[in-house]
Amino acid sequence: MGGFSRAALVLVIIGAVNWLLVGLFQWDLVTAIFGGDIVRESSGISRIVYVLVGLAGIYAIRFLFDSSTERAQ
């Protein structure tokens, strides 16, 4: 995996984990770090989607360390 691909994957994972926090706790980590209103009001369905995206991001962490993707290129 090249440097750009790895950096893009890291950003996707960070974004997904942020959505997980929004879905579970209605708390926005990125906004807490860079300023703004850190509590987000969301509907129940949107919170479920945020949690699913967050769990997918946590699953994607394995791709950072997967040597088979490096051989495929």
Side-chain angles (χ1 to χ4, degrees):
M1 180 180 302
F4 183 76
S5 296
R6 188 172 298 274
L9 182 58
V10 167
L11 288 173
V12 167
I13 291 168
I14 290 169
V17 170
N18 187 59
W19 282 120
L20 178 65
L21 293 171
V22 170
L24 292 176
F25 308 113
Q26 295 185 354
W27 186 73
D28 189 337
L29 175 65
V30 174
T31 303
I33 293 171
F34 296 108
D37 186 17
I38 61 173
V39 176
R40 291 180 177 243
E41 295 295 324
S42 303
S43 70
I45 294 174
S46 64
R47 290 183 69 190
I48 291 170
V49 172
Y50 295 153
V51 168
L52 292 174
V53 170
L55 293 174
I58 290 172
Y59 176 78
I61 292 171
R62 69 182 290 269
F63 297 120
L64 285 173
F65 307 103
D66 188 6
S67 60
S68 65
T69 55
E70 292 177 12
R71 284 181 275 170
Q73 295 178 352

